[in-house]
């Protein structure tokens, strides 16, 4: 049996372009999840502060990750206590654990993956 030597030359500009497209698609996906969450009217809503001003997408370019942050003193308490009696006046589906439908096994588990694929296709041109 003969061994065949071969060389592989990587197209680094193309790899960087795809990597950049993936990160941009990830940020856009986080924004899409946040928008869908607000449109689903599942976050607790009293004055709108938690949903509108204090929930935002926080990109971390060096770490290649994105967080969706709800930054209020009471966000954690509301999220982890779905047994609270949430007002349904502004958001009829309000309750705790509002990100759970987007996790594996949740009703909207396919949403982030489909959004990412569409954004990546658009950004990368693939």
């Amino acid at each position: 049996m003969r061994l065949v030597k071969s060389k592989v030359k990587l197209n680094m500009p193309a790899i960087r372009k795809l990597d950049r497209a993936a990160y941009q698609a990830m940020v856009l996906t986080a924004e899409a999840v946040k928008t869908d969450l607000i449109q689903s009217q599942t976050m607790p809503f009293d004055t709108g502060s938690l949903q509108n001003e204090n929930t935002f997408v926080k990109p971390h370019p060096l770490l290649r990750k994105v967080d969706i942050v709800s930054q209020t003193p009471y966000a954690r308490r509301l999220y982890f206590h779905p047994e609270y009696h949430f007002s349904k006046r502004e958001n009829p589906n309000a309750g705790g654990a509002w990100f759970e439908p987007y996790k594996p096994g949740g009703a909207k588990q396919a949403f982030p993956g489909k959004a990412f694929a569409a954004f990546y296709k658009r950004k990368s041109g693939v």
Side-chain angles (χ1 to χ4, degrees), residues 58-78:
K58 183 176 181 182
H60 302 279
L62 295 177
L63 299 175
R64 309 308 273 176
K65 75 173 200 166
V66 177
D67 294 326
I68 302 175
V69 179
S70 293
Q71 188 173 334
T72 64
Y74 52 86
R76 181 181 194 83
R77 179 173 33 94
L78 295 176

Side-chain angles (χ1 to χ4, degrees), residues 5-117:
K5 288 185 177 182
S6 62
K7 290 186 178 184
V8 175
K9 186 174 180 182
L10 299 176
N11 184 342
M12 292 311 291
I15 291 171
R16 281 191 288 277
K17 178 185 175 192
L18 294 174
D19 183 56
R20 200 170 30 255
Y23 183 73
Q24 291 170 343
M26 185 170 52
V27 172
L28 291 171
T29 299
E31 289 287 355
V33 168
K34 178 183 165 247
T35 299
D36 187 69
L37 177 67
I38 291 169
Q39 290 175 348
S40 298
Q41 298 181 318
T42 55
M43 291 183 81
F45 191 107
D46 182 21
T47 64
S49 175
L50 174 62
Q51 173 182 286
N52 298 324
E53 293 90 35
N54 293 305
T55 297
F56 53 90
V57 172
K58 183 176 181 182
H60 302 279
L62 295 177
L63 299 175
R64 309 308 273 176
K65 75 173 200 166
V66 177
D67 294 326
I68 302 175
V69 179
S70 293
Q71 188 173 334
T72 64
Y74 52 86
R76 181 181 194 83
R77 179 173 33 94
L78 295 176
Y79 187 86
F80 289 105
H81 291 282
E83 73 275 6
Y84 286 170
H85 178 73
F86 293 96
S87 170
K88 309 283 186 184
R89 189 182 70 228
E90 296 293 333
N91 283 349
N93 304 314
W98 48 86
F99 282 111
E100 296 305 307
Y102 301 95
K103 293 182 177 180
K108 294 184 175 188
Q109 69 178 351
F111 181 85
K114 287 180 180 179
F116 178 83

